[in-house]
Short mmCIF file of all heavy atoms in Angstrom, two decimals:
data_model
loop_
_atom_site.label_atom_id
_atom_site.label_comp_id
_atom_site.label_asym_id
_atom_site.label_seq_id
_atom_site.Cartn_x
_atom_site.Cartn_y
_atom_site.Cartn_z
N LEU A 28 -0.18 5.05 2.32
CA LEU A 28 -1.47 5.46 2.87
C LEU A 28 -1.45 5.25 4.37
O LEU A 28 -0.93 4.26 4.87
CB LEU A 28 -2.60 4.65 2.25
CG LEU A 28 -2.52 4.34 0.75
CD1 LEU A 28 -3.70 3.47 0.34
CD2 LEU A 28 -2.49 5.63 -0.04
N SER A 29 -2.07 6.17 5.10
CA SER A 29 -2.22 6.01 6.54
C SER A 29 -3.46 6.77 6.98
O SER A 29 -4.02 7.57 6.22
CB SER A 29 -0.99 6.53 7.29
OG SER A 29 -0.79 7.91 7.02
N LEU A 30 -3.89 6.50 8.22
CA LEU A 30 -5.06 7.18 8.79
C LEU A 30 -4.61 8.01 9.98
O LEU A 30 -4.05 7.48 10.93
CB LEU A 30 -6.11 6.17 9.23
CG LEU A 30 -7.19 5.76 8.24
CD1 LEU A 30 -8.12 4.75 8.89
CD2 LEU A 30 -7.98 6.94 7.73
N GLY A 31 -4.84 9.33 9.90
CA GLY A 31 -4.57 10.21 11.01
C GLY A 31 -5.87 10.75 11.57
O GLY A 31 -6.95 10.42 11.09
N PRO A 32 -5.80 11.56 12.62
CA PRO A 32 -7.02 12.14 13.20
C PRO A 32 -7.85 12.91 12.19
O PRO A 32 -9.08 12.98 12.32
CB PRO A 32 -6.48 13.06 14.31
CG PRO A 32 -5.14 12.51 14.63
CD PRO A 32 -4.59 11.98 13.34
N ASP A 33 -7.16 13.50 11.21
CA ASP A 33 -7.89 14.28 10.21
C ASP A 33 -8.35 13.45 9.02
O ASP A 33 -8.88 13.98 8.05
CB ASP A 33 -7.02 15.45 9.73
CG ASP A 33 -5.66 14.98 9.18
OD1 ASP A 33 -5.30 13.81 9.44
OD2 ASP A 33 -4.99 15.78 8.52
N GLY A 34 -8.11 12.14 9.07
CA GLY A 34 -8.59 11.26 8.02
C GLY A 34 -7.49 10.62 7.21
O GLY A 34 -6.37 10.42 7.69
N LEU A 35 -7.79 10.30 5.99
CA LEU A 35 -6.89 9.56 5.12
C LEU A 35 -5.71 10.45 4.70
O LEU A 35 -5.91 11.61 4.30
CB LEU A 35 -7.65 9.08 3.88
CG LEU A 35 -6.92 8.17 2.91
CD1 LEU A 35 -6.58 6.83 3.56
CD2 LEU A 35 -7.79 7.95 1.66
N ARG A 36 -4.52 9.88 4.74
CA ARG A 36 -3.32 10.60 4.34
C ARG A 36 -2.60 9.81 3.26
O ARG A 36 -2.45 8.58 3.37
CB ARG A 36 -2.37 10.80 5.52
CG ARG A 36 -2.96 11.65 6.64
CD ARG A 36 -2.01 11.68 7.83
NE ARG A 36 -2.51 12.53 8.91
CZ ARG A 36 -1.93 12.61 10.10
NH1 ARG A 36 -0.80 11.95 10.34
NH2 ARG A 36 -2.42 13.40 11.03
N LEU A 37 -2.12 10.51 2.24
CA LEU A 37 -1.33 9.89 1.17
C LEU A 37 -0.02 10.66 1.06
O LEU A 37 -0.03 11.89 0.96
CB LEU A 37 -2.06 9.94 -0.18
CG LEU A 37 -3.11 8.87 -0.46
CD1 LEU A 37 -4.37 9.14 0.35
CD2 LEU A 37 -3.44 8.82 -1.94
N ALA A 38 1.08 9.93 1.10
CA ALA A 38 2.39 10.56 0.98
C ALA A 38 3.22 9.80 -0.05
O ALA A 38 3.10 8.57 -0.16
CB ALA A 38 3.11 10.56 2.32
N PRO A 39 4.04 10.50 -0.81
CA PRO A 39 4.91 9.79 -1.78
C PRO A 39 5.90 8.91 -1.04
O PRO A 39 6.32 9.20 0.07
CB PRO A 39 5.64 10.92 -2.51
CG PRO A 39 4.85 12.16 -2.20
CD PRO A 39 4.23 11.94 -0.87
N THR A 40 6.25 7.76 -1.62
CA THR A 40 7.31 6.95 -1.07
C THR A 40 8.62 7.69 -1.25
O THR A 40 8.75 8.56 -2.11
CB THR A 40 7.41 5.59 -1.79
OG1 THR A 40 7.71 5.82 -3.17
CG2 THR A 40 6.14 4.81 -1.66
N LEU A 41 9.62 7.33 -0.45
CA LEU A 41 10.88 8.02 -0.50
C LEU A 41 11.81 7.41 -1.53
O LEU A 41 12.85 7.98 -1.86
CB LEU A 41 11.56 7.97 0.89
CG LEU A 41 10.77 8.63 1.99
CD1 LEU A 41 11.53 8.56 3.31
CD2 LEU A 41 10.46 10.08 1.65
N ASP A 42 11.47 6.23 -2.02
CA ASP A 42 12.27 5.62 -3.08
C ASP A 42 11.96 6.30 -4.41
O ASP A 42 11.07 7.14 -4.50
CB ASP A 42 11.95 4.11 -3.22
CG ASP A 42 12.66 3.31 -2.15
OD1 ASP A 42 13.67 3.79 -1.62
OD2 ASP A 42 12.18 2.20 -1.87
N SER A 43 12.67 5.90 -5.46
CA SER A 43 12.33 6.35 -6.80
C SER A 43 10.94 5.82 -7.15
O SER A 43 10.44 4.92 -6.46
CB SER A 43 13.37 5.83 -7.80
OG SER A 43 13.45 4.42 -7.72
N PRO A 44 10.28 6.34 -8.20
CA PRO A 44 8.91 5.92 -8.51
C PRO A 44 8.73 4.42 -8.50
O PRO A 44 9.47 3.70 -9.15
CB PRO A 44 8.69 6.52 -9.91
CG PRO A 44 9.56 7.72 -9.93
CD PRO A 44 10.79 7.32 -9.14
N ARG A 45 7.75 3.95 -7.74
CA ARG A 45 7.60 2.52 -7.49
C ARG A 45 6.62 1.89 -8.47
O ARG A 45 5.57 1.38 -8.09
CB ARG A 45 7.15 2.29 -6.04
CG ARG A 45 8.14 2.83 -5.03
CD ARG A 45 7.63 2.63 -3.64
NE ARG A 45 7.42 1.23 -3.33
CZ ARG A 45 8.36 0.40 -2.94
NH1 ARG A 45 9.60 0.82 -2.85
NH2 ARG A 45 8.09 -0.85 -2.67
N GLU A 46 6.98 1.89 -9.73
CA GLU A 46 6.13 1.23 -10.71
C GLU A 46 6.11 -0.27 -10.46
O GLU A 46 5.28 -0.99 -11.00
CB GLU A 46 6.62 1.54 -12.12
CG GLU A 46 6.46 3.02 -12.47
CD GLU A 46 6.95 3.32 -13.86
OE1 GLU A 46 7.42 2.38 -14.54
OE2 GLU A 46 6.87 4.49 -14.28
N CYS A 47 7.09 -0.77 -9.69
CA CYS A 47 7.15 -2.20 -9.42
C CYS A 47 6.52 -2.53 -8.07
O CYS A 47 6.71 -3.63 -7.56
CB CYS A 47 8.60 -2.70 -9.46
SG CYS A 47 9.69 -1.78 -8.37
N GLY A 48 5.83 -1.58 -7.42
CA GLY A 48 5.22 -1.87 -6.13
C GLY A 48 4.04 -2.80 -6.27
O GLY A 48 3.45 -2.96 -7.33
N TYR A 49 3.68 -3.45 -5.17
CA TYR A 49 2.51 -4.36 -5.17
C TYR A 49 1.92 -4.38 -3.77
O TYR A 49 2.57 -3.99 -2.78
CB TYR A 49 2.90 -5.76 -5.62
CG TYR A 49 4.05 -6.37 -4.82
CD1 TYR A 49 3.80 -7.09 -3.66
CD2 TYR A 49 5.36 -6.20 -5.22
CE1 TYR A 49 4.84 -7.64 -2.93
CE2 TYR A 49 6.42 -6.75 -4.51
CZ TYR A 49 6.14 -7.46 -3.36
OH TYR A 49 7.18 -7.98 -2.62
N PHE A 50 0.68 -4.82 -3.67
CA PHE A 50 -0.04 -4.81 -2.41
C PHE A 50 -1.14 -5.86 -2.48
O PHE A 50 -1.95 -5.84 -3.39
CB PHE A 50 -0.65 -3.42 -2.17
CG PHE A 50 -1.35 -3.26 -0.86
CD1 PHE A 50 -0.69 -2.71 0.23
CD2 PHE A 50 -2.67 -3.66 -0.70
CE1 PHE A 50 -1.34 -2.56 1.44
CE2 PHE A 50 -3.32 -3.52 0.51
CZ PHE A 50 -2.65 -2.96 1.58
N PHE A 51 -1.15 -6.77 -1.52
CA PHE A 51 -2.19 -7.79 -1.45
C PHE A 51 -2.73 -7.85 -0.02
O PHE A 51 -1.96 -7.73 0.95
CB PHE A 51 -1.64 -9.19 -1.78
CG PHE A 51 -1.15 -9.35 -3.19
CD1 PHE A 51 0.20 -9.13 -3.50
CD2 PHE A 51 -1.99 -9.73 -4.21
CE1 PHE A 51 0.67 -9.28 -4.78
CE2 PHE A 51 -1.53 -9.89 -5.50
CZ PHE A 51 -0.19 -9.66 -5.79
N THR A 52 -4.03 -8.03 0.13
CA THR A 52 -4.64 -8.31 1.42
C THR A 52 -5.17 -9.74 1.41
O THR A 52 -6.04 -10.09 0.61
CB THR A 52 -5.80 -7.33 1.70
OG1 THR A 52 -5.31 -5.99 1.71
CG2 THR A 52 -6.40 -7.62 3.07
N LEU A 53 -4.63 -10.57 2.30
CA LEU A 53 -5.02 -11.97 2.36
C LEU A 53 -5.97 -12.21 3.52
O LEU A 53 -5.66 -11.83 4.66
CB LEU A 53 -3.77 -12.87 2.55
CG LEU A 53 -2.90 -13.17 1.34
CD1 LEU A 53 -2.24 -11.91 0.79
CD2 LEU A 53 -1.81 -14.19 1.69
N GLU A 54 -7.09 -12.82 3.24
CA GLU A 54 -8.03 -13.25 4.27
C GLU A 54 -7.88 -14.72 4.56
O GLU A 54 -8.38 -15.22 5.56
CB GLU A 54 -9.47 -12.96 3.83
CG GLU A 54 -9.78 -11.49 3.58
CD GLU A 54 -9.90 -10.68 4.85
OE1 GLU A 54 -9.86 -11.29 5.94
OE2 GLU A 54 -10.03 -9.46 4.74
N SER A 55 -7.18 -15.43 3.68
CA SER A 55 -6.98 -16.87 3.83
C SER A 55 -5.94 -17.30 2.80
O SER A 55 -5.44 -16.49 2.02
CB SER A 55 -8.30 -17.64 3.58
OG SER A 55 -8.73 -17.44 2.25
N ALA A 56 -5.62 -18.59 2.79
CA ALA A 56 -4.76 -19.13 1.75
C ALA A 56 -5.48 -19.02 0.41
O ALA A 56 -6.71 -18.99 0.34
CB ALA A 56 -4.39 -20.57 2.05
N GLY A 57 -4.72 -18.97 -0.67
CA GLY A 57 -5.33 -18.89 -1.98
C GLY A 57 -4.37 -18.30 -3.01
O GLY A 57 -3.19 -18.08 -2.72
N ILE A 58 -4.89 -18.04 -4.19
CA ILE A 58 -4.12 -17.43 -5.27
C ILE A 58 -4.71 -16.03 -5.50
O ILE A 58 -5.91 -15.88 -5.71
CB ILE A 58 -4.17 -18.26 -6.56
CG1 ILE A 58 -3.54 -19.63 -6.31
CG2 ILE A 58 -3.46 -17.54 -7.71
CD1 ILE A 58 -3.63 -20.58 -7.50
N TYR A 59 -3.84 -15.03 -5.46
CA TYR A 59 -4.26 -13.65 -5.62
C TYR A 59 -3.51 -13.05 -6.83
O TYR A 59 -2.38 -13.43 -7.11
CB TYR A 59 -3.93 -12.84 -4.36
CG TYR A 59 -4.62 -13.32 -3.12
CD1 TYR A 59 -4.16 -14.43 -2.42
CD2 TYR A 59 -5.74 -12.65 -2.62
CE1 TYR A 59 -4.79 -14.87 -1.26
CE2 TYR A 59 -6.37 -13.08 -1.46
CZ TYR A 59 -5.90 -14.19 -0.79
OH TYR A 59 -6.52 -14.61 0.35
#
C-alpha cells in the first residue's frame, strides 16, 4: 500500500503469494 497524488494505491508484492506476511503498528511497548 502507498499514497500517491491520486490517492491510495495497492500493488501486488513481487514475491510469491505472501500468506505468511504480517504487519503491526506500534504506538508503545506491549503485546500485539
Side-chain angles (χ1 to χ4, degrees):
L28 320 177
S29 61
L30 269 180
D33 56 345
L35 187 65
R36 298 174 178 174
L37 279 73
T40 61
L41 300 181
D42 281 337
S43 56
R45 300 178 60 82
E46 294 180 359
C47 55
Y49 54 89
F50 184 96
F51 296 92
T52 300
L53 281 64
E54 299 286 354
S55 64
I58 297 176
Y59 298 79

